Amino acid sequence: MNEDPGLTAALVDFKATKRKLRKSRLVVEDGPQKGTRLDIASERMTIGRSGICDLQLTDDGVSGTHCEIVAKETGFLLQDLGSKNGTWVAGVRVEEAWLEPGMPLRIGNTVIRFEHASGTIEIDLSRREKFYDLVGHGVRMREIFAVLEKVAASDLTVLVRGETGTGKELVARAIHRASKRAQRPLVVQDCSAIPANLIESILFGHERGSFTGAADRKQGCFEVADGGTLFLDEIGELDISLQPKLLRVLETREVQRVGGTRMIPVDVRVVAATNRDLRQMVNDGTFREDLYYRLSVVHVDLPPLRERPDDVPALAHQFLEESAKRGNHGADRHFTITRDAMTKLQAYPWPGNVRELKNTIERAVSLADGTELGMHDLMPASQKTPPVIFPGGTAEHFVDNEIPFKDAKQKVVDAFEAQYLKAVLDKHGDNISRSARAAGLTRYHLRELAKRYGLRGETQGPDDED
């Protein structure tokens, strides 16, 4: 990795309104697309056979979405996306590698050279440090705010991707509030929370008598949201048999109720969100490529909280104020966090992201004896309570603390994932390849989960193969 960030990285003045990336390009030196040149003109670009990729190759040895290059402050990072045949840099198979000028990479039967070009690419940064309920002082969030400021005024479809608890619904609400549709309905529908046999009815509506139990005609989400915004959360959970119907609605802006014959026009702006990698799902055949195109007209990637520790103090103080007001502590009670506790909060990996930080602050304010909160008050619940696999009566704990079902369920899932991953990595000596095979996951997916739970450092070298 190049130690001079001026050569490959974003040169960022915290108060600047532009983020500057050094121009770089990819040159195909061998393979079916030999001679193709592509400038790296954005922070993230993908390479593969699928039409959703920035550099599309016809090489049969290349996976649908094979790998990606991410521009970071410290350089350009190449990451394999769970490809079948692997990504090779200078003859070595890698999960990820920092690229240097002139460095060759091979995917399938295609050889690509990474090189620098003259000049820079400018990426807008917002002057805001808050966009409605979204808070972020650092570059990553201010870059997202700049995108949201531009896209809100349009009717473009937006796909928001991020881990659970990063604030995907807040993005949808902010887009709606900043749009010309703000006075019309915002309808939120969680696609993972609907029984498979009811989802078509809930999305598109049904006519009376169209199925057992359909006693009355009912409008679906699209009709209810007419004139406003429809937020489809966890879109990756939508059954593939329903995806063509959703695609048709997005293309024609008309719905047909279950059991109906009439096409009903709808004027709806759609924002979709997922914590899954839809590109990998396209590879696996579980998500339609044409629907991915239609949903990701504008793509917003929310960073996990562990990648934006500078934002933790601002978020914590906001949650302190909100919790104090809700808890009826009175205007004379001003809560603070000790410096040592704040440092530890910034260092913690937050597997539950912003939602976990919010819950931690709310619990601390409710239970603390004084107004100065130390680490004993603020220890995250995932570190403070017994393992959340139910012998410890944790369901009652969630109910007693008025934690909504969805949040409680996610805490159980998070706790299970962290414990399972730690156990499988321990068993296989931290070898990602063997651990992934044992868990039935792709190496890319397991590696990303391990990073999320702070189980394996990002700077470790490539995995040993058996």
Side-chain angles (χ1 to χ4, degrees):
M1 179 183 142
N2 200 307
E3 293 299 324
D4 183 356
L7 293 177
T8 57
L11 304 177
V12 179
D13 174 354
F14 186 78
K15 296 182 180 179
T17 57
K18 300 287 183 182
R19 178 184 177 195
K20 296 183 179 180
L21 297 177
R22 177 157 187 179
K23 281 188 178 179
S24 297
R25 68 169 63 97
L26 299 176
V27 180
V28 181
E29 295 192 320
D30 197 10
Q33 273 72 46
K34 183 177 180 179
T36 299
R37 301 164 71 89
L38 179 68
D39 287 337
I40 300 177
S42 61
E43 184 178 15
R44 185 182 301 267
M45 65 163 295
T46 54
I47 305 171
R49 280 191 298 108
S50 173
I52 67 177
C53 295
D54 301 289
L55 176 56
Q56 186 179 8
L57 304 171
T58 58
D59 186 340
D60 289 339
V62 173
S63 296
T65 50
H66 195 105
C67 60
E68 68 179 356
I69 295 175
V70 184
K72 295 178 174 282
E73 271 63 38
T74 45
F76 288 88
L77 182 65
L78 172 71
Q79 295 180 317
D80 184 85
L81 297 177
S83 65
K84 181 177 180 181
N85 295 321
T87 300
W88 300 75
V89 175
V92 178
R93 184 170 180 169
V94 300
E95 290 289 327
E96 61 182 31
W98 295 99
L99 296 177
E100 297 284 356
M103 185 176 281
L105 51 136
R106 178 173 63 82
I107 59 175
N109 299 307
T110 297
V111 177
I112 303 170
R113 186 178 74 253
F114 170 80
E115 61 182 35
H116 286 321
S118 59
T120 60
I121 297 168
E122 292 188 342
I123 299 174
D124 289 335
L125 300 177
S126 174
R127 292 184 180 276
R128 304 185 189 210
E129 295 181 348
K130 186 174 183 180
F131 190 75
Y132 294 94
D133 293 329
L134 293 162
V135 174
H137 293 190
V139 169
R140 295 284 298 278
M141 292 305 293
R142 289 172 59 220
E143 186 176 328
I144 289 171
F145 294 167
V147 172
L148 298 182
E149 288 166 0
K150 291 178 181 177
V151 78
S154 73
D155 280 332
L156 295 175
T157 303
V158 180
L159 177 63
V160 187
R161 182 174 179 267
E163 295 177 5
T164 299
T166 49
K168 298 185 290 295
E169 185 173 333
L170 294 182
V171 171
R173 292 187 179 278
I175 290 173
H176 178 72
R177 292 170 66 184
S179 75
K180 60 188 178 184
R181 299 173 178 267
Q183 303 307 312
R184 301 293 295 165
L186 168 66
V187 176
V188 177
Q189 183 57 61
D190 183 350
C191 296
S192 69
I194 313 173
N197 62 328
L198 292 179
I199 191 165
E200 185 174 3
S201 167
I202 289 174
L203 288 179
F204 310 129
H206 63 255
E207 297 290 348
R208 180 179 180 181
S210 56
F211 55 85
T212 302
D216 297 296
R217 171 185 291 172
K218 182 179 179 181
Q219 291 184 329
C221 293
F222 276 90
E223 286 185 79
V224 175
D226 189 43
T229 304
L230 174 58
F231 175 51
L232 295 175
D233 197 9
E234 303 302 347
I235 191 68
E237 306 301 322
L238 186 66
D239 189 87
I240 195 163
S241 65
L242 282 174
Q243 292 177 21
K245 296 179 181 180
L246 176 58
L247 176 63
R248 185 170 61 249
V249 172
L250 294 176
E251 289 178 338
T252 65
R253 299 295 165 172
E254 293 179 327
V255 297
Q256 183 177 4
R257 294 177 186 148
V258 177
T261 58
R262 184 169 63 95
M263 301 304 295
I264 303 169
V266 288
D267 173 23
V268 175
R269 200 257 184 87
V270 174
V271 179
T274 181
N275 62 5
R276 302 181 67 178
D277 189 343
L278 296 188
R279 300 167 305 179
Q280 184 64 47
M281 293 180 68
V282 170
N283 272 358
D284 297 338
T286 56
F287 201 86
R288 290 178 61 106
E289 184 175 306
D290 47 6
L291 180 57
Y292 179 89
Y293 271 129
R294 178 61 65 177
L295 291 172
S296 60
V297 177
V298 177
H299 202 141
V300 175
D301 271 312
L302 286 178
L305 187 55
R306 64 181 174 276
E307 293 183 6
R308 39 185 290 230
D310 290 347
D311 287 338
V312 169
L315 288 165
H317 286 123
Q318 173 174 299
F319 298 148
L320 274 180
E321 293 179 6
E322 293 173 356
S323 299
K325 290 177 183 176
R326 280 197 301 271
N328 298 318
H329 291 285
D332 57 327
R333 297 200 71 188
H334 176 67
F335 286 85
T336 60
I337 297 174
T338 66
R339 180 176 298 181
D340 180 61
M342 186 65 77
T343 299
K344 290 178 180 177
L345 291 180
Q346 288 181 274
Y348 179 67
W350 297 108
N353 291 295
V354 178
R355 182 183 295 144
E356 184 182 5
L357 174 62
K358 182 177 182 179
N359 291 341
T360 297
I361 298 294
E362 288 178 346
R363 186 187 65 250
V365 169
S366 298
L367 301 179
D369 294 327
T371 57
E372 184 178 62
L373 306 179
M375 202 55 210
H376 64 285
D377 301 303
L378 291 163
M379 185 180 296
S382 58
Q383 303 293 300
K384 194 170 187 177
T385 59
V388 200
I389 309 294
F390 281 106
T394 51
E396 290 78 6
H397 168 79
F398 293 141
V399 173
D400 290 344
N401 287 277
E402 298 184 352
I403 297 174
F405 172 80
K406 184 177 179 180
D407 292 350
K409 178 182 175 182
Q410 192 59 51
K411 284 178 176 292
V412 174
V413 172
D414 288 343
F416 167 76
E417 286 185 353
Q419 292 178 42
Y420 182 94
L421 291 169
K422 184 178 186 305
V424 77
L425 286 166
D426 286 347
K427 180 177 179 180
H428 296 283
D430 274 347
N431 184 287
I432 287 286
S433 299
R434 292 196 294 269
S435 299
R437 281 195 290 273
L441 301 170
T442 65
R443 290 185 299 159
Y444 174 77
H445 190 191
L446 190 142
R447 177 170 54 81
E448 291 301 304
L449 286 172
K451 286 182 185 176
R452 174 181 174 183
Y453 293 107
L455 299 176
R456 192 170 189 268
E458 294 186 43
T459 58
Q460 295 188 30
D463 305 305
D464 295 328
E465 294 290 341
D466 288 341

